[in-house]
Amino acid sequence: MDGDAALLRLTPQDDVAVALRRVAEGSGLAVAGGPRGAQVREAIDSGHKVAVRDIAAGQPVRKFGQIIGWATEAIPAGAHVHVHNCAMGAHESADAIGTDYRPTEMVPAAERAQFLGFRRADGRAGTRNMIALCATVNCAATVVRYIADAVERSGMLDDHPEIDGIVALGHDTGCGLTPGPGLENLERVLWGHATHPNVCAALFVGLGCEVMQIARLAQKYEIGDRSRFHSLTIQESGGTRRTVEAAVARIREMLPDLARAQREPVPASELVVALQCGGSDGYSGITANPALGRAADLVVAQGGTAILSETPEIYGAEHLLVRRAASEAVGRKLLDRIAWWEGYTARNDAEMNNNPSPGNKAGGLTTILEKSLGAAAKGGTTGLMDVLLYAERVKSRGFVFMDSPGYDPASVTGQIAAGANIVCFTTGRGSAFGSRPAPTLKLATNSALFEKMREDMDIDCGTIATGGTTVAQKGAEIFARILEVASGAETKSEALGYGGFEYVPWQIGATM
């Protein structure tokens, strides 16, 4: 990209260009293919769109070479294009399953990158070695935090540097649930975190009388290495204080065995990377998301796995993913989830275009179609190998999609439960987010945000817009940083202590 350019037109088919910095009223509309002598009719903020040609009322508006909305009034060249004159409408159908699927060219096994990880008994590899305190119900959420605080205050972890920490996973559900998708979501989240490759031991803490019984999980799922799983209930233990004391004593007993785990060289094929975005802006689909997509392609070429999620935020771009499906069945699974969401929002008197958020719109995003087309870029270009239910464990290597809300904490919670051992999170507005037991790398879409929130952001992708780096170069940088973090390097959100309150299982269904 031209570092001196003020406007960027992404494809020759586009009706709009994106402002790379604030553009003053009366500035020349200097874009390839634009009308000669045209001027910008009003000041355009960075990340926002300007029409590069006249667009008649009722006509489609294109960006990324795709329809992002429809003109609600005549839009002259040089005018600001946003919510006042562009709205959601019909989008391209997804009836060409698999037409763009191509097998991935894999890096030979002998040449694959490595990271220093923790090899688990089930064959998976972790990037962290953490103790997880899993509350089965909200009634135990305070107690698991008391236990974590007591362990940290005791200093017992200081003698075991091989343990990366302890995380209290409390939530606001677990009782008042009826059989169905909501209860199944919670089961998968609980079991996915307890058995996560970044977890060396899990302690389930329940109240005792809740719907989500610990015994229920043990019966439904194969326990495997029983030394990793422990449980107690507040009622049987004799109350809050005794439960905390019993849990701390049990953890103290476990520590010598848990500390025997050592980092060892692990091939990059064991990476399972969650692809996430939040607080998006007009740069997201131009810089950080495509760069993360390039990094995802590199992970897949190594034999690893990349998980894209947030179903409402690929709405309008699902045709691009379906065309990459490895089979008819995989494509249909994604279309089935889209149909479920259309019905779900209708039943709740909502619509899919409730997104973008106010912050997204302030950053230049106009419709969910525009946001989705940019968000889907995180998924790179390789074949879509599978579509998972929320928090369902990953079974296929390569690029996969997991159904989830667009709400970042709930989505990441599901991705980690599915097996993601590292999270990459792009943001243009500045999301304050981090996760445990899987660490989060934060990718800023623009350099101004990176400079403003240096303590929160790990990588500046804004250099793509200014011409300092290419998408491919930044993707390689992200991949290299993924390997460093997988080997134990601390992320900015870990340094700030994020991850205890960002555990949010997706609640659907009736709460009784």
Side-chain angles (χ1 to χ4, degrees):
M1 297 180 184
D2 185 354
D4 295 327
L7 298 170
L8 175 65
R9 190 182 193 185
L10 297 173
T11 76
Q13 295 78 35
D14 289 355
D15 302 297
V16 297
V18 179
L20 298 180
R21 57 179 180 267
R22 182 174 173 82
V23 180
E25 179 182 353
S27 300
L29 190 61
V31 294
R36 182 171 299 180
Q39 294 182 332
V40 175
R41 292 170 176 262
E42 56 192 299
I44 307 294
D45 285 336
S46 176
H48 283 249
K49 299 176 293 297
V50 59
V52 298
R53 55 184 169 224
D54 294 341
I55 308 170
Q59 291 301 301
V61 178
R62 287 181 172 83
K63 178 184 174 185
F64 308 111
Q66 304 283 331
I67 296 173
I68 63 167
W70 299 78
T72 56
E73 60 185 56
I75 305 174
H80 183 207
V81 178
H82 202 28
V83 293
H84 61 287
N85 56 14
C86 180
M88 176 77 170
H91 58 279
E92 201 164 339
S93 64
D95 57 359
I97 295 175
T99 55
D100 293 339
Y101 172 76
R102 301 290 183 274
T104 301
E105 184 175 344
M106 306 298 290
V107 175
E111 300 175 15
R112 287 179 183 171
Q114 293 184 326
F115 66 94
L116 296 176
F118 297 94
R119 182 66 76 176
R120 302 303 183 191
D122 65 0
R124 295 186 296 168
T127 65
R128 295 293 182 269
N129 197 41
M130 301 196 74
I131 299 168
L133 305 174
C134 303
T136 60
V137 65
N138 179 253
C139 306
T142 296
V143 171
V144 293
R145 291 198 171 97
Y146 285 168
I147 295 169
D149 289 344
V151 169
E152 290 170 346
R153 286 197 310 271
S154 73
M156 68 174 75
L157 296 181
D158 296 340
D159 298 326
H160 301 285
E162 301 84 0
I163 306 297
D164 290 315
I166 185 168
V167 58
L169 300 174
H171 55 87
D172 59 357
T173 184
C175 205
L177 298 171
T178 57
L183 183 58
E184 292 165 3
N185 276 359
L186 182 58
E187 288 176 344
R188 290 194 296 268
V189 166
L190 287 170
W191 199 246
H193 280 74
T195 61
H196 196 277
N198 288 10
V199 171
C200 55
L203 175 61
F204 287 101
V205 181
L207 177 61
C209 57
E210 63 270 19
V211 169
M212 181 53 69
Q213 289 287 307
I214 296 170
R216 174 190 175 94
L217 288 170
Q219 290 173 357
K220 186 167 183 176
Y221 294 94
E222 183 178 348
I223 291 181
D225 182 4
R226 290 179 178 272
S227 66
R228 290 182 61 192
F229 308 108
H230 305 264
S231 64
L232 49 80
T233 66
I234 298 167
Q235 291 167 350
E236 291 180 353
S237 298
T240 298
R241 192 178 305 278
R242 289 180 180 177
T243 302
V244 174
E245 291 171 351
V248 171
R250 191 171 301 185
I251 291 168
R252 191 185 300 275
E253 291 173 3
M254 293 190 293
L255 279 177
D257 286 335
L258 301 179
R260 291 196 180 104
Q262 298 288 328
R263 289 189 181 272
E264 60 182 81
V266 173
S269 56
E270 296 300 325
L271 288 171
V272 183
V273 180
L275 312 172
Q276 193 68 210
C277 62
S280 300
D281 69 351
Y283 288 96
S284 295
I286 300 170
T287 61
N289 288 353
L292 180 53
R294 175 59 180 161
D297 286 350
L298 295 176
V299 169
V300 170
Q302 294 280 335
T305 303
I307 310 173
L308 183 66
S309 297
E310 300 182 288
T311 314
E313 296 187 10
I314 57 110
Y315 188 69
E318 69 270 15
H319 61 286
L320 301 178
L321 298 179
V322 165
R323 290 172 185 171
R324 292 161 51 189
S327 69
E328 180 79 14
V330 169
R332 289 295 166 197
K333 285 169 74 174
L334 181 55
L335 295 179
D336 286 346
R337 298 321 300 162
I338 293 291
W340 183 90
W341 274 93
E342 289 175 329
Y344 180 59
T345 52
R347 289 193 301 273
N348 288 279
D349 297 322
E351 60 177 355
M352 297 295 279
N353 199 41
N354 281 355
N355 211 326
S357 70
N360 297 152
K361 292 176 181 177
L365 296 177
T366 301
T367 67
I368 188 57
L369 301 182
E370 180 183 9
K371 184 176 182 181
S372 293
L373 289 163
K378 301 193 302 294
T381 62
T382 62
L384 177 62
M385 306 310 293
D386 200 4
V387 175
L388 309 173
L389 296 175
Y390 180 76
E392 182 181 0
R393 180 177 288 190
V394 169
K395 302 180 290 292
S396 302
R397 291 182 185 268
F399 171 58
V400 302
F401 186 87
M402 185 201 77
D403 185 31
S404 84
Y407 181 47
D408 307 321
S411 184
V412 174
T413 296
Q415 290 174 314
I416 294 174
N421 50 23
I422 192 166
V423 179
C424 289
F425 190 116
T426 71
T427 181
R429 304 293 291 173
S431 291
F433 182 86
S435 57
R436 289 186 286 175
T440 290
L441 267 170
K442 300 288 284 299
L443 282 59
T445 71
N446 62 85
S447 297
L449 167 64
F450 183 79
E451 292 299 328
K452 183 185 294 185
M453 296 181 65
R454 272 184 171 270
E455 290 186 343
D456 293 79
M457 300 295 135
D458 295 276
I459 295 177
D460 177 13
C461 295
T463 54
I464 296 171
T466 59
T469 53
T470 65
V471 167
Q473 289 169 336
K474 190 58 66 172
E477 178 186 338
I478 294 168
F479 177 68
R481 185 60 177 158
I482 287 172
L483 292 174
E484 292 174 0
V485 170
S487 298
E490 188 177 55
T491 66
K492 296 291 184 69
S493 61
E494 286 181 299
L496 289 168
Y498 277 94
F501 293 93
E502 289 75 19
Y503 172 77
V504 182
W506 179 23
Q507 293 187 49
I508 54 177
T511 299
M512 307 300 289

